[in-house]
Amino acid sequence: MKKIKHIEKNAKIVNKYLNSKLKGNPKKLYDAAEHLIVHGGKRLRPYMVIRSCQVLGGKVSNAMPAAGAVEMVHNFTLVHDDIMDNDEMRHGVLTVHKKFGIPIAILAGDVLFSKAFQIITESKLSANATTKLVSRLAKACVDVCEGQLLDVKMADEKKIPTQAEYITMICKKTAALFDVSCAMGAICATNKSNDISNLSSFGRNLGIAFQITDDLMGVMGDPKVTKKPVGNDLREGKKSLPILMAIKSAKGKNKKTILKAFGNSKATRNDLNKAVNVIRSLGIEENVRKQALKYAEKAEKSLSRYSGPAKIELITLLDFVVKRSV
């Protein structure tokens, strides 16, 4: 619980900062831009920016513009993802395009994206550090777009992707923002390339571990925790690591049971429960956890030369991410 309190305390500080930067006219545009931010989120990425800066002896005030920028970009991706997927709910409220309409939602996403770079340029850091921050965040945005299209392509194709293809996709779609969060935090504290690289590596591997664990929860997670029905990702035909492993290792009747539910919008609750039970019986959870742990160990190794409270908090976050209960 101590870790959660640290994250919650950080979130309140970041929320106050974001609120101060997302004001303007027309008011409806800024209400739309701030909609998802107001209604939830742990602010993990800003947390990582700030703690990465502190690991290297930097000040929170120096890291705040970068922290806010990363969160704005993250929310920009959520707004556009929801439009692409035609999702109706996020954080327990209507998605931006369902509440405000698609034209305003697109503009709100564009505002978030643009504001992210604006607040970086308004920071009190050196011109060299500011240029590095802009460059790193811009590259991460490109990676996220590439990863999103890889995900769409995987969903459209009939073939089941390899584990390597899945890792490449999540490394871009998800881990890129974790990577850049830690790299930007480091840049706010130092110009030493080794330190920036170490923190970047921590974020990237944490991001991969995060997505692998998230995908595990999407298949067999507790609906009270995930806010989604059991087997939701299975029904949607999501080609996540647990499902890839299950389809590859299942034989005969077991494989038929999984494929009957996979990507079948008409799959009954009974069909899904049977498929999830088969996946459990195959030991998929243990195998997926091992994969997540492998990346978590790489992440922890990246911080081996550092010490102090900020490092401890990042490692605690890493442990929480990997050990989340399904």
Side-chain angles (χ1 to χ4, degrees):
M1 291 304 293
K2 187 177 180 182
K3 174 206 66 61
I4 296 297
K5 286 179 181 177
H6 278 301
I7 292 176
E8 287 177 351
K9 184 178 179 181
N10 187 80
K12 288 178 182 177
I13 297 169
V14 173
N15 286 346
K16 186 176 180 181
Y17 179 81
L18 291 170
N19 182 261
S20 72
K21 297 298 180 182
L22 289 172
K23 298 297 179 189
N25 288 304
K27 185 175 182 296
K28 195 170 186 178
L29 175 61
Y30 288 89
D31 287 345
E34 203 177 19
H35 177 64
L36 293 180
I37 293 172
V38 169
H39 287 98
K42 294 184 179 68
R43 311 287 176 255
L44 291 183
R45 293 156 191 82
Y47 181 85
M48 292 164 67
V49 174
I50 291 168
R51 292 298 178 266
S52 295
C53 179
Q54 290 179 311
V55 164
L56 301 176
K59 297 178 181 178
V60 172
S61 58
N62 286 346
M64 191 56 69
V70 168
E71 187 63 18
M72 286 182 185
V73 166
H74 173 55
N75 278 270
F76 150 74
T77 67
L78 299 183
V79 173
H80 283 205
D81 279 0
D82 288 340
I83 294 171
M84 290 171 67
D85 298 338
N86 198 28
D87 285 338
E88 295 189 0
M89 304 293 291
R90 185 180 287 275
H91 299 326
V93 297
L94 286 174
T95 50
V96 178
H97 71 282
K98 287 297 179 183
K99 183 173 176 63
F100 296 91
I102 290 177
I104 290 178
I106 292 172
L107 290 171
D110 293 346
V111 164
L112 286 165
F113 183 85
S114 303
K115 279 280 185 181
F117 291 94
Q118 181 183 1
I119 63 175
I120 289 175
T121 61
E122 292 174 352
S123 73
K124 295 178 181 179
L125 297 172
S126 69
N128 182 50
T130 300
T131 300
K132 285 182 179 179
L133 290 175
V134 169
S135 177
R136 293 294 286 247
L137 187 57
K139 183 184 181 303
C141 290
V142 172
D143 284 340
V144 170
C145 292
E146 291 174 354
Q148 177 68 16
L149 188 57
L150 287 176
D151 194 19
V152 170
K153 187 181 176 186
M154 280 184 187
D156 289 344
E157 291 177 345
K158 289 186 178 180
K159 81 178 187 77
I160 302 298
T162 64
Q163 184 171 323
E165 289 171 332
Y166 162 85
I167 294 295
T168 296
M169 183 270 289
I170 67 169
C171 200
K172 286 178 174 285
K173 183 180 177 180
T174 302
L177 277 188
F178 283 80
D179 178 331
V180 80
S181 294
C182 293
M184 289 173 73
I187 291 167
C188 290
T190 185
N191 61 3
K192 294 180 180 177
S193 58
N194 282 348
D195 288 329
I196 296 168
S197 178
N198 286 338
L199 270 297
S200 171
S201 176
F202 174 82
R204 181 172 59 257
N205 285 296
L206 185 152
I208 296 171
F210 175 91
Q211 190 59 56
I212 289 173
T213 307
D214 217 49
D215 285 344
L216 180 64
M217 295 178 74
V219 177
M220 54 183 70
D222 181 350
K224 292 178 183 176
V225 177
T226 65
K227 309 298 182 186
K228 295 177 182 179
V230 172
N232 185 69
D233 284 0
L234 196 60
R235 171 186 270 158
E236 291 184 358
K238 188 173 179 181
K239 292 166 183 173
S240 62
L241 186 60
I243 295 171
L244 303 185
M245 286 183 165
I247 292 174
K248 185 177 179 180
S249 61
K251 307 293 181 187
K253 186 180 177 181
N254 282 345
K255 192 162 192 171
K256 287 181 180 178
T257 299
I258 295 171
L259 292 177
K260 184 180 180 182
F262 180 65
N264 180 7
S265 60
K266 296 180 181 178
T268 65
R269 174 59 40 219
N270 189 45
D271 291 336
L272 289 169
N273 286 336
K274 282 183 177 179
V276 170
N277 286 336
V278 166
I279 293 172
R280 288 187 193 279
S281 72
L282 293 170
I284 297 301
E285 180 178 350
E286 183 183 353
N287 289 334
V288 171
R289 292 277 189 195
K290 284 180 180 177
Q291 289 297 314
L293 186 61
K294 180 178 77 172
Y295 288 100
E297 287 172 348
K298 286 183 181 179
E300 186 164 357
K301 190 175 180 181
S302 298
L303 299 186
S304 60
R305 63 181 291 185
Y306 308 107
S307 60
K311 176 200 172 170
I312 292 169
E313 287 178 24
L314 284 178
I315 298 300
T316 304
L317 172 63
L318 178 64
D319 289 342
F320 170 72
V321 161
V322 177
K323 294 174 183 175
R324 282 179 294 167
S325 173
V326 298

